[in-house]
Amino acid sequence: MLYDVVIIGGSYAGLSAGLQLARARRRVLVVDAGERRNRFGTMSRGFLTQDGVAAAEIAAVGRAQLMEYDGVDWLPARIERAHHIAGGFELTDDQGRTHQARLLVLATGVVDELPAIPGLAERWGKQVFHCPYCHGYELNQARIGVLASSAFSMHQALMLPDWGQTTLLLNGSFEPDATQMAQLQARDVTVERGLVARLAGASLEVVMRDGRTLPFQGLFIATRLHVSPLAVQLGCALVEGPQGVFIRTDSTQATSLPGVFACGDTARAAGNVALAVGDGALAGAAAHRALMFGR
Ligand SMILES: Cc1cc2nc3c(=O)[nH]c(=O)nc-3n(C[C@H](O)[C@H](O)[C@H](O)COP(=O)(O)OP(=O)(O)OC[C@H]3O[C@@H](n4cnc5c(N)ncnc54)[C@H](O)[C@@H]3O)c2cc1C
């Protein structure tokens, strides 16, 4: 079967793109590997009308509403290869099945690469976070740590005092210059130069290599972000962002490759659920326009 559009990634961005296309009565396949970026946390925050709703529930309701429409198929699988064919694209999934589409929407999100610090991975999304807008408020203005990975961590350290008393743990990653020290001082950020050994405790403790234990209500890190290898396979142009590359799109979510649209975290330097839904709606409408009037 030749679909009008295959959407790779069936989370917030992909579901939103699918909804526009389904309502335009197009034949759509959504392929989803089931690894939403926020699956490590519970509540989703900051998305109008859904603030405090479980992240999984928002995705499940979106999927149920999309699947009410005729013409939409859902495939739980991972697309491993994608290439251009005459009149469209051919995709191969992880069970060797092939799927054809006239157009593609990449809604594949990003993968967070966490620092290799013992005790950190199991606290990701629970006590260790990346986004103050998503998780800062619930820390109730208590002690907050920023675990630096590079000079980019200055950004988090200067923001977080609005959410609590902030300590920047340099952990040997960079040394602030005089201007940066003045900026940190102006925001009342404490600078800690010792090295971190591990995270411990039911309430969060950062254990330093010199044996000290620093208690925090929450810890923020800037992760390294990785986009799907499919973007590279297809030859989509990428943009270098502060935390890694993302797919370059224009104001309609079209990538550099005719017939391929991208939306959500994979197509922006920093994302959230609301932005993914907005980008997805735009990508879906733009793909529909391309089906009607050409790419
Ligand atoms: C711990 C944590 C907590 C967060 N909390 C919040 C919050 O409270 N509020 C908020 O607004 N944002 C939050 N975010 C950010 C939010 O998770 C993302 O912005 C959002 O998930 C982006 O949606 P998306 O659809 O672009 O990508 P994702 O939700 O990451 O979905 C991408 C989907 O594509 C699938 N996929 C990838 N590659 C393939 C492939 N080759 N084949 C098939 N399927 C594929 C994945 O399995 C996944 O299901 C949080 C992030 C993290 C890490």
Side-chain angles (χ1 to χ4, degrees):
M1 127 101 63
L2 174 68
Y3 285 95
D4 288 323
V5 180
V6 172
I7 299 171
I8 309 177
S11 178
Y12 313 107
L15 291 168
S16 180
L19 193 56
Q20 304 305 315
L21 288 158
R23 292 187 54 73
R25 299 187 178 279
R26 293 295 176 159
R27 288 292 287 141
V28 177
L29 172 66
V30 183
V31 187
D32 186 47
E35 294 183 336
R36 274 181 298 105
R37 185 181 177 199
N38 58 3
R39 67 192 181 281
F40 303 94
T42 49
M43 299 300 171
S44 175
R45 292 289 181 179
F47 179 24
L48 195 67
T49 78
Q50 306 298 313
D51 186 43
V53 176
E57 190 185 331
I58 299 173
V61 170
R63 177 179 163 184
Q65 291 183 347
L66 176 63
M67 297 314 291
E68 287 289 313
Y69 287 86
D70 291 333
V72 182
D73 291 332
W74 179 276
L75 182 68
R78 178 174 295 280
I79 298 297
E80 293 196 326
R81 288 194 302 283
H83 66 274
H84 198 266
I85 55 172
F89 299 89
E90 183 168 89
L91 311 170
T92 307
D93 70 27
D94 49 6
Q95 290 178 48
R97 297 167 295 199
T98 57
H99 314 276
Q100 284 90 31
R102 292 169 64 194
L103 301 179
L104 289 184
V105 173
L106 300 178
T108 41
V110 290
V111 174
D112 290 279
E113 181 186 331
L114 304 178
I117 291 178
L120 190 146
E122 54 268 40
R123 290 175 172 79
W124 178 234
K126 300 167 187 77
Q127 294 169 314
V128 182
F129 312 107
H130 73 300
C131 167
Y133 294 102
C134 302
H135 301 105
Y137 186 88
E138 282 66 36
L139 300 179
N140 292 321
Q141 299 197 300
R143 280 171 55 89
I144 294 172
V146 172
L147 180 58
S149 48
S150 71
F152 178 65
S153 297
M154 278 293 293
H155 174 65
Q156 281 185 332
L158 293 176
M159 284 181 76
L160 275 155
D162 273 19
W163 284 277
Q165 189 194 333
T166 303
T167 300
L168 174 61
L169 300 140
L170 292 174
N171 198 30
S173 63
F174 79 105
E175 181 57 37
D177 61 24
T179 308
Q180 290 169 322
M181 280 307 291
Q183 290 170 333
L184 292 165
Q185 209 168 9
R187 292 286 281 159
D188 206 16
V189 176
T190 304
V191 175
E192 167 59 56
R193 288 193 167 72
L195 296 178
V196 172
R198 62 194 167 87
L199 307 190
S203 62
L204 179 62
E205 291 167 358
V206 175
V207 182
M208 307 300 288
R209 286 209 205 153
D210 60 16
R212 285 176 301 142
T213 294
L214 310 179
F216 293 107
Q217 190 69 20
L219 191 66
F220 283 78
I221 58 173
T223 54
R224 194 81 197 144
L225 302 178
H226 298 278
V227 296
S228 165
L230 294 175
V232 178
Q233 265 180 39
L234 284 161
C236 297
L238 304 174
V239 184
E240 187 67 49
Q243 291 175 259
V245 296
F246 58 94
I247 302 173
R248 193 179 84 201
T249 54
D250 67 11
S251 59
T252 68
Q253 304 297 140
T255 70
S256 61
L257 195 65
V260 180
F261 297 82
C263 50
D265 282 10
T266 197
R268 47 170 60 252
N272 66 21
V273 173
L275 294 169
V277 169
D279 291 351
L282 201 51
H288 178 228
R289 245 189 335 266
L291 288 168
M292 292 185 292
F293 307 124
R295 298 167 185 181

